[in-house]
Amino acid sequence: MKKIPLFFVLFIMTVLIAGCSDDNANALAVRDIQSDPFAFTGELRVNGIITDFFEHDTRIFNLKDTAETLVCLSLVCDSFRLPVIYVGGGDIPQIADEVDVIGQWSDTEYGVIFEATSFEVRRNIMRIIERGPNR
Amino acid sequence: MNIFNLVSKNLLRRKGRFVFTLLGITIGMAAFVALLSLGSSMQRELRAQAGMLDANLVITPTNWCAFDQISILTGEALPESLHYDVMERISSIYGITAVPYLTQRTAIQNLPVMVTGIYPNEMKDFRRWEIAQGVYFAADNERAVVLGSSIANNFDLNLGDVLTIRGEPFPVIAVLSPTGSNDDTSVYLPLTVVQEIYEIGPYISFIVARVSDITNMDSYIAAIVDVVNVSVTSDEQLLSTVLTMLGSVNATLQLIAGVALISAAFGIANTMMAAIYERRREIGILRAIGGKSSAIFKIFLLESGLYGLLGGIIGVVVGFVASIVAAPIIAQSGISVLMKGATPTASFDVSIVITAILFSIVISVVSGLYPALKAAKLTPVEAISYD
Amino acid sequence: MTNAIIKTENLEKIYGKSTIKTHALKGVDMEIPKGSFSCIIGPSGHGKSTLMHLLGGLDKPTSGSVFVDGMDISKLSDNKLSEIRTQKIGFVFQFFNLLQNLTASENIQTAMMFGKISPKAQKKKAAKLLELVNLSDKANAKPSELSGGQQQRVSIARALANDPDILLMDEPTGNLDSESEAEVLKHIFEIHKTGKTIVIVTHNQELARKSEFVFEIRDGKISDSPFKAIQLGS
């Protein structure tokens, strides 16, 4: 059978799903790495939505997959969250920010966790979530 | 001399204007046809893809949102929330053949790759896989991987190479022949092994099932829902969800092409109106030598119609060529690094050709209607006296 | 006159709307005998061309009638008029007689197409007509490749395409030099000899002197009833 249809269709699918999300082609999505995180090595760029901060250490926040969040339109959907510790200085991102965090796995006082040395805010989706499902 | 001869000579008399007007409708037509053809081939490929699931039923947990449903078709990884029990209960229903899928992810060369846990032999039979290289799983718990053809190609993996998944080494023991479906893009391990290394326990992501009697689909669905609390969709439903979305994308594109065509139609109308203004004397002569007003009407209408016919034919050819050229460019840009594809082809569909040409003729005739009426209404003396 | 092929009764033509009206023709009565050679003369703007258009059914009178071969054409529908024009009348105008993008032969063939002559027969007949006006070698020439005189001769051939009884000509030589004019007039006289009724609108006094009937139009009216020859003063 031909390989033809697959890639064509995959592209369309990617386009359609990208319609719900804004996957950055260079960044890994949370859903990409959640199964086998340590299989990814070295410096990584991970994209996700900030859902909440660790109350005892505000450098630590949880990232949820962007596409999933946009489809379920909630920060508290029952799905995987990636803990990230931000060790760069200066401002910290806000809740509901869609960010790319750049860093690598690191053995910290909290165990092996994603240590981000920098981040880029792409946008904030709080208003999208509040608007609710009206597509 | 007959009316067709006269009309074609009239058209060709101002070559420049003829070409430009024709270009207008050709481009509009080409865009229209290219989009129609790409759109229909996309639909067909989508159907083929869904057909590739080659199953009648897809069984998923009830709490999935639409995102997950679509993900089955795209081959994204899905949450594992069906208890293994479900598999047993469904398999025990008479007339149903079912296979479980447990989908996870790992990295190869720092890129995300799908890992699928399967019953080796059942899956191979169900999906009618063939082995291109190596020897397939010998046991249901063999600690080795079998690769889909695209994975092997894109990452340049061979028999004997070792993949590290969840920190553990797994040798590549076989590579599947290309199937043309999502099967090509996954790494396969036995179900129990995946459950173990991903520390999942007795859970799976979803089940794909085939029934022995398609006409009785509803009763099978009823039977399943009776014994387990799950969501059952036939791949037809999944496909229609996707096709609806595709349809709206398609519709937008066709709208744009439609606008292009309408502006081309105005181009024709404009050309014809200008022509009538310039050719008043000629119309007068035609009337004086015996042409009835209906003949004048016919001549001008035929001229516009010919624009439509010619523009339609050329536009159709250009449109198809464009879609063939554009398809691989579209397909290759934007796809994730994993996939390097073979060239998609656009479909050559006779019904598109006929529809397009007819449409083109209709548009041009309609746009030429008003000018032709105006021309026919000129009395001979009005036309002649114009100086 | 019983063999009048064209006859008008109280022919009137008014142009324009309520406030600005032009009374082009004010009650014209005339009869043209079959087979005759007539001229219509008079100062410019006094209604000659208007009269010509009405005689040939290119326009409809405001009141009064035009009879062609006994038939009142002022009452006919547009379609019927076109038929009459094809069958009975051939026109030659002062300029712009020919379709520019067709050859001489094709111009004649187009007239034949309207006269429902089959395409096969058209070419041959057209060739014959071109022979009549000594232009056989120009069959495939376009009007732009012909001199003024040659164009008018082709126009005459074209006017004869469907073998009409009547030829109406509006200043056919008005645009030509004297040599071409002589040539064209020669052909017209020859055609008259074959039995056609010729009516010419002209300024040419010599021609008027040579014709059988002269109608002078002044201020929209015929200034005299038809007579054999007229001595035109200066």
Side-chain angles (χ1 to χ4, degrees):
Chain A
M1 265 238 77
K2 327 154 263 201
K3 292 187 210 168
I4 302 167
L6 166 67
F7 306 120
F8 206 29
V9 175
L10 262 186
F11 165 72
I12 300 303
M13 300 281 73
T14 316
V15 166
L16 291 176
I17 293 214
C20 335
S21 72
D22 238 339
D23 275 6
N24 183 343
N26 299 325
L28 296 166
V30 171
R31 68 181 182 276
D32 286 336
I33 66 174
Q34 72 191 59
S35 310
D36 192 2
F38 305 125
F40 296 85
T41 56
E43 182 172 272
L44 307 170
R45 172 188 277 256
V46 180
N47 171 282
I49 307 284
I50 299 194
T51 56
D52 55 302
F53 285 85
F54 186 38
E55 55 185 5
H56 300 302
D57 185 344
T58 52
R59 295 175 304 163
I60 300 180
F61 51 83
N62 279 322
L63 273 187
K64 206 162 75 111
D65 184 80
T66 306
E68 269 189 48
T69 310
L70 285 174
V71 169
C72 297
L73 282 181
S74 160
L75 295 175
V76 297
C77 259
D78 180 21
S79 49
F80 176 80
R81 291 172 216 212
L82 179 73
V84 175
I85 181 168
Y86 174 60
V87 298
D91 292 333
I92 55 174
Q94 313 287 311
I95 294 197
D97 274 350
E98 179 192 342
V99 292
D100 284 359
V101 291
I102 296 145
Q104 50 191 333
W105 300 111
S106 189
D107 205 355
T108 69
E109 58 214 285
Y110 301 98
V112 179
I113 187 178
F114 192 83
E115 187 179 84
T117 49
S118 68
F119 67 91
E120 286 167 24
V121 177
R122 309 198 75 79
R123 55 173 172 166
N124 187 291
I125 66 166
M126 188 53 97
R127 283 229 315 277
I128 299 177
I129 292 180
E130 283 165 353
R131 230 185 297 145
N134 59 346
R135 324 165 239 159
Chain B
M1 180 59 60
N2 54 42
I3 201 168
F4 288 107
N5 234 331
L6 188 62
V7 165
S8 42
K9 286 198 195 284
N10 283 343
L11 276 180
L12 291 176
R13 136 208 238 165
R14 287 272 185 85
K15 299 244 170 69
R17 160 187 290 165
F18 174 66
V19 167
F20 274 109
T21 311
L22 194 63
L23 259 178
I25 199 160
T26 302
I27 292 177
M29 235 27 241
F32 189 68
V33 165
L35 289 171
L36 267 181
S37 132
L38 282 174
S40 89
S41 71
M42 286 194 321
Q43 292 216 353
R44 231 175 337 102
E45 311 309 2
L46 259 182
R47 283 188 184 282
Q49 277 304 292
M52 288 296 170
L53 280 183
D54 200 11
N56 307 129
L57 298 171
V58 179
I59 293 137
T60 58
T62 46
N63 58 350
W64 278 14
C65 56
F67 182 74
D68 303 311
Q69 302 256 322
I70 296 166
S71 302
I72 292 194
L73 268 186
T74 63
E76 300 259 323
L78 298 149
E80 56 290 344
S81 32
L82 273 182
H83 193 280
Y84 184 71
D85 265 359
V86 173
M87 182 65 207
E88 309 219 299
R89 285 196 231 177
I90 291 181
S91 311
S92 64
I93 299 179
Y94 183 71
I96 292 187
T97 317
V99 288
Y101 280 69
L102 175 56
T103 52
Q104 294 294 318
R105 293 231 153 176
T106 188
I108 300 182
Q109 299 166 20
N110 250 16
L111 293 163
V113 167
M114 180 144 81
V115 172
T116 311
I118 58 174
Y119 284 163
N121 290 322
E122 285 82 341
M123 188 68 151
K124 179 158 168 289
D125 289 340
F126 195 87
R127 303 290 296 164
R128 298 180 191 121
W129 283 343
E130 291 186 359
I131 313 294
Q133 304 172 42
V135 177
Y136 195 64
F137 294 113
D140 273 355
N141 57 1
E142 188 171 341
R143 295 185 93 83
V145 294
V146 170
L147 304 182
S149 60
S150 304
I151 303 280
N153 284 337
N154 295 335
F155 293 102
D156 207 14
L157 296 169
N158 299 303
L159 299 182
D161 286 343
V162 175
L163 293 184
T164 306
I165 304 178
R166 294 284 285 186
E168 292 198 29
F170 293 92
V172 176
I173 58 170
V175 176
L176 300 177
S177 299
T179 66
S181 73
N182 283 334
D183 292 356
D184 294 340
T185 64
S186 177
V187 172
Y188 298 96
L189 285 96
L191 179 67
T192 49
V193 175
V194 174
Q195 285 170 336
E196 183 203 312
I197 63 177
Y198 282 85
E199 292 167 31
I200 291 172
Y203 291 95
I204 54 182
S205 306
F206 62 96
I207 298 170
V208 169
R210 201 179 286 152
V211 305
S212 50
D213 181 10
I214 303 185
T215 57
N216 256 327
M217 190 76 79
D218 288 334
S219 43
Y220 283 115
I221 296 181
I224 294 174
V225 174
D226 208 28
V227 288
V228 237
N229 179 25
V230 287
S231 186
V232 184
T233 35
S234 63
D235 51 359
E236 197 59 40
Q237 286 176 3
L238 280 180
L239 183 61
S240 76
T241 314
V242 172
L243 280 180
T244 316
M245 280 195 265
L246 184 59
S248 57
V249 168
N250 232 4
T252 314
L253 293 175
Q254 282 178 23
L255 195 67
I256 297 177
V259 169
L261 270 174
I262 291 180
S263 70
F266 276 107
I268 291 182
N270 187 48
T271 301
M272 298 309 296
M273 291 298 291
I276 290 167
Y277 187 75
E278 289 167 11
R279 288 155 67 184
R280 271 176 105 115
R281 185 83 203 191
E282 184 186 315
I283 295 173
I285 296 172
L286 284 170
R287 297 282 257 133
I289 65 179
K292 301 187 187 166
S293 54
S294 59
I296 306 292
F297 181 73
K298 257 187 246 163
I299 289 173
F300 277 88
L301 206 62
L302 260 177
E303 281 182 31
S304 351
L306 258 168
Y307 271 123
L309 180 64
L310 276 174
I313 294 179
I314 300 177
V316 160
V317 170
V318 171
F320 272 125
V321 168
S323 64
I324 291 177
V325 166
I329 299 176
I330 296 175
Q332 278 179 14
S333 68
I335 289 193
S336 69
V337 181
L338 277 184
M339 312 302 168
K340 282 177 218 153
T343 318
T345 54
S347 62
F348 184 82
D349 201 345
V350 181
S351 66
I352 293 184
V353 172
I354 299 181
T355 314
I357 295 183
L358 279 176
F359 192 39
S360 175
I361 295 178
V362 166
I363 287 186
S364 53
V365 164
V366 167
S367 60
L369 214 57
Y370 177 69
L373 276 170
K374 281 211 83 177
K377 280 222 188 99
L378 285 175
T379 63
V381 73
E382 272 173 355
I384 295 175
S385 311
Y386 172 75
D387 257 321
Chain C
M1 200 181 301
T2 45
N3 67 336
I5 194 167
I6 299 182
K7 188 169 103 144
T8 74
E9 274 177 9
N10 211 16
L11 202 54
E12 251 192 280
K13 181 71 186 177
I14 304 174
Y15 292 112
K17 305 201 179 140
S18 40
T19 44
I20 308 175
K21 282 201 198 154
T22 315
H23 226 118
L25 291 177
K26 308 168 186 174
V28 170
D29 295 298
M30 60 192 292
E31 290 182 19
I32 297 176
K34 186 165 178 159
S36 62
F37 193 112
S38 309
C39 279
I40 301 177
I41 60 173
S44 295
H46 281 234
K48 302 196 301 293
S49 293
T50 309
L51 178 59
M52 174 71 80
H53 295 155
L54 289 172
L55 290 179
L58 290 175
D59 196 3
K60 288 229 167 105
T62 314
S63 70
S65 309
V66 178
F67 295 89
V68 172
D69 227 355
M71 219 186 329
D72 186 351
I73 67 169
S74 42
K75 306 279 185 298
L76 290 180
S77 71
D78 220 40
N79 277 348
K80 227 22 182 110
L81 260 181
S82 300
E83 269 179 47
I84 301 285
R85 278 203 294 273
T86 324
Q87 294 163 8
K88 295 196 187 290
I89 305 174
F91 281 97
V92 179
F93 304 104
Q94 187 174 358
F95 23 56
F96 299 137
N97 275 299
L98 300 174
L99 301 167
Q100 296 296 310
N101 56 322
L102 298 180
T103 65
S105 175
E106 285 169 344
N107 261 285
I108 302 177
Q109 288 177 49
T110 306
M112 291 178 179
M113 167 178 91
F114 290 125
K116 307 250 184 358
I117 298 180
S118 80
K120 281 194 222 125
Q122 284 172 12
K123 248 195 160 162
K124 272 181 112 183
K125 280 196 83 179
K128 277 220 193 96
L129 287 168
L130 281 172
E131 218 187 290
L132 207 70
V133 293
N134 272 347
L135 283 174
S136 305
D137 54 333
K138 297 285 186 190
N140 293 326
K142 293 229 175 100
S144 52
E145 297 161 12
L146 300 170
S147 73
Q150 291 170 329
Q151 287 184 42
Q152 291 303 72
R153 280 147 67 191
V154 173
S155 307
I156 293 172
R158 200 254 338 261
L160 290 169
N162 298 313
D163 208 21
D165 292 324
I166 306 166
L167 281 183
L168 296 180
M169 310 200 211
D170 193 347
E171 313 231 27
T173 56
N175 231 23
L176 304 176
D177 62 76
S178 40
E179 203 182 309
S180 313
E181 183 174 21
E183 175 99 39
V184 171
L185 287 177
K186 186 183 85 176
H187 288 297
I188 295 179
F189 284 124
E190 279 168 15
I191 290 164
H192 173 237
K193 290 212 181 81
T194 67
K196 308 274 183 215
T197 309
I198 312 274
V199 181
I200 307 186
V201 167
T202 184
H203 281 127
N204 187 332
Q205 304 192 349
E206 279 234 16
L207 181 60
R209 240 171 273 155
K210 289 201 190 124
S211 39
E212 293 175 69
F213 296 95
V214 177
F215 303 89
E216 188 180 347
I217 302 285
R218 217 171 254 281
D219 286 326
K221 288 216 278 240
I222 305 248
S223 62
D224 255 331
S225 51
F227 54 91
K228 193 110 202 252
I230 178 173
Q231 290 292 338
L232 292 167
S234 47

